[in-house]
């Protein structure tokens, strides 16, 4: 037999499609599905929260504070601190929405230099001494408290808890499936980034509710951006994180939103209650 | 945060290096394939009668190729939706052709005029375990037929 050498043509066993094209099609397609599934899970958790009676929430997360506000050595004079806490509690009572008396709030003052305030399910608000140092007037402080109260009036803490739980559960199911470890972390990150969007939305909602409570009490919205302006000068944690990776919207965006929604933005500010001032002086000495 | 820097850089370096080595490898494969074209490879088990009074010797070529980060991620995404795993096809193609070439080059060194009974064996080094490096092994072997030296 005769042998005639021939080159086998290319492209029979391999594809000529550019690998980057396949990459972008797959990544965007799968990311879209993850965003959709996460959003559906988050929204359904959100929806179900309204069927949990407020009394149940208050019962589950009753006065047992999960955070020891006097942990380790007390950094401050305990009696001064108790008075400051009382003042803060009174401020909350002044700010509260009269039409919603069923919402209860407690307040805890935390000895920490990191300026922060948060609310946990059951309406327990926590404020750090670092935050108190950053505000100049009672109005500025009231805005922070009103923001946290706004979260509770919309039941954000419980919603976040539910949302976190369903997304964590979904990710556990994914991690049980036999998929590549790289893809698993891709799926996890996409889901977390999606749920951060819901968190940022809640912050803006609480800001708007906060400014409404502030205006109702003082008759004007002066001081609403005081804390955020002060925060801009601080090297606070996460200030260099891009917004899409963050639980909170950018400070500038929040200031703009608050300014846009202040109907009566000028007015006389009230000075900080005396007990809070003495408390701040006492911790400054240490 | 750090994940968001490491992951894309691994992907990009995997893509750049992977594509560079693949192109380079294909250039080498195409050149060597045309250089060795004069020796036919047969899958026949028996030696053709014209070549009965010849030397016969075993020749083998073995190659292991690793997957890069980019290809692996692409294949992982493919595993969710299904379809042609194009990113691995070129890897398997390269490994197979390289193994054959190594075998053939060995046969030419021995003065072979034909290689018969060519067979290919493939195995996966990682055996599909998670978090291990995916790589493919291809072994090509055959009987090199060369004229009597005496």
């Amino acid at each position: 037999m005769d042998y005639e050498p021939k080159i086998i043509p290319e492209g029979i066993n391999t594809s000529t499609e550019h690998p980057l094209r396949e990459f972008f099609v797959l990544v965007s397609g799968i990311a879209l599905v993850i965003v959709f599934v996460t959003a559906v899970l988050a929204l359904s958790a959100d929806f179900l929260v309204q069927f949990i009676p407020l009394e149940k929430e208050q019962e589950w997360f009753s006065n047992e504070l999960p955070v020891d506000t006097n942990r380790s050595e007390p950094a401050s004079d305990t009696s001064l601190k108790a008075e400051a806490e009382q003042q803060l509690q009174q401020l909350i009572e002044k700010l509260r929405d009269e039409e919603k008396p069923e919402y209860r709030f407690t307040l805890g003052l935390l000895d920490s230099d990191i300026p922060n305030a948060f609310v946990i399910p059951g309406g327990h608000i926590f404020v750090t001494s670092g935050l108190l140092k950053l505000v100049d007037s009672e109005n500025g402080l009231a805005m922070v408290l009103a923001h946290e109260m706004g979260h509770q009036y919309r039941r954000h803490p419980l919603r976040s808890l539910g949302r976190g739980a369903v997304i964590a559960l979904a990710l556990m199911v994914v991690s049980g499936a036999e998929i590549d470890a790289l893809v698993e972390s891709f799926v996890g990150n996409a889901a977390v980034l999606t749920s951060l969007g819901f968190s940022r939305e809640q912050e803006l909602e609480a800001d708007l509710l906060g400014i409404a409570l502030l205006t109702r009490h003082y008759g004007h919205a002066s001081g609403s951006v005081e804390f955020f302006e002060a925060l801009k000068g601080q090297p606070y944690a996460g200030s260099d994180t891009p917004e899409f990776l963050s639980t909170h919207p950018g400070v500038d965006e929040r200031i703009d939103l608050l300014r846009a929604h202040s109907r009566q933005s000028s007015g006389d500010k009230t000075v900080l209650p005396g007990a809070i001032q003495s408390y701040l002086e006492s911790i400054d000495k240490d | 945060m750090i994940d968001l820097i490491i992951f894309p850089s691994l992907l990009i370096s995997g893509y750049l290096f992977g594509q560079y080595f693949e192109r380079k490898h294909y250039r080498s494969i195409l050149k060597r394939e045309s250089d060795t074209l004069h020796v036919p490879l047969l899958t026949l088990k028996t030696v053709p009668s014209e070549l009965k009074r010849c030397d016969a010797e075993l020749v083998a070529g073995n190659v292991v190729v690793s997957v890069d980060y980019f290809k692996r991620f692409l294949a992982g995404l493919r595993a969710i939706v299904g379809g042609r795993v194009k990113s691995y096809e070129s890897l398997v193609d390269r490994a197979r052709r390289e193994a054959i070439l190594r075998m053939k080059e060995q046969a030419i060194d021995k003065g072979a005029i034909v290689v018969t009974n060519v067979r290919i064996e493939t195995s996966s080094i990682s055996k599909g375990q998670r978090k291990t490096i995916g790589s493919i092994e291809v072994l090509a072997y055959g009987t090199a037929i060369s004229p009597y030296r005496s």
Side-chain angles (χ1 to χ4, degrees), chain A residues 89-257:
Chain A
Q89 184 76 48
Q90 279 172 16
L91 190 53
I92 287 174
E93 295 307 322
K94 283 188 221 158
L95 288 165
R96 64 179 307 135
D97 189 345
E98 302 296 341
E99 287 152 30
K100 291 173 178 168
E102 69 277 19
Y103 282 84
R104 291 205 299 260
F105 297 99
T106 67
L107 188 118
L109 186 50
L110 303 169
D111 291 321
S112 164
D113 285 334
I114 300 160
N116 196 13
F118 55 91
V119 58
I120 60 169
H124 305 293
I125 298 173
F126 293 89
V127 178
T128 65
S129 51
L131 183 141
L132 293 181
K133 284 181 202 165
L134 276 189
V135 291
D136 298 322
S137 65
E138 190 188 274
N139 305 59
L141 177 60
M143 179 62 208
V144 173
L145 294 175
H147 167 94
E148 301 307 333
M149 292 165 77
H151 273 311
Q152 179 61 9
Y153 281 133
R154 289 277 187 267
R155 306 189 73 187
H156 289 164
L158 202 60
R159 283 173 204 267
S160 305
L161 198 67
R163 191 174 62 225
V166 283
I167 291 171
L169 197 67
L171 288 178
M172 268 166 70
V173 173
V174 170
S175 74
E178 288 286 307
I179 64 167
D180 192 88
L182 289 181
V183 177
E184 194 185 307
S185 71
F186 168 71
V187 170
N189 283 325
V192 169
L193 290 186
T194 309
S195 75
L196 285 178
F198 286 91
S199 168
R200 289 194 296 270
E201 206 176 295
Q202 288 187 343
E203 294 304 325
L204 295 178
E205 208 182 339
D207 276 347
L208 292 182
L209 221 69
I211 202 164
L213 292 175
L214 188 79
T215 316
R216 187 185 305 206
H217 177 59
Y218 292 102
H220 56 77
S222 177
S224 66
V225 296
E226 193 180 288
F227 171 64
F228 296 118
E229 292 286 5
L231 203 56
K232 274 162 77 173
Q234 293 283 317
Y236 67 100
S239 57
D240 54 350
T241 313
E243 176 166 316
F244 76 103
L245 295 178
S246 179
T247 54
H248 286 59
V251 169
D252 287 320
E253 188 191 333
R254 295 177 74 179
I255 291 175
D256 287 346
L257 182 93

Side-chain angles (χ1 to χ4, degrees), chain B residues 8 18 28 35 37 42 58 74 78 82 85 95 127-128 132 136 142 148:
Chain B
S28 149
D35 287 351
L37 206 58
L42 306 177
L58 172 73
L74 215 52
R78 240 329 145 205
V85 188
K127 290 272 172 281
T132 55
I136 180 182
Y148 277 132

Side-chain angles (χ1 to χ4, degrees), chain A residues 15-31 34 178-184 186-187, chain B residues 11 67 69-90:
Chain A
S15 164
T16 48
E17 190 194 40
H18 200 281
L20 282 182
R21 191 188 125 85
E22 190 189 9
F23 175 80
F24 285 118
V25 169
L26 282 179
V27 164
S28 50
I30 291 171
I34 297 164
E178 288 286 307
I179 64 167
D180 192 88
L182 289 181
V183 177
E184 194 185 307
F186 168 71
V187 170
Chain B
L11 262 191
V67 64
Y69 204 86
F70 178 78
K71 279 185 190 297
R72 187 177 154 187
F73 182 67
L74 215 52
L77 292 178
R78 240 329 145 205
I80 295 180
V81 295
R84 266 178 83 170
V85 188
K86 291 169 193 153
S87 66
Y88 281 180
E89 282 180 348
S90 60

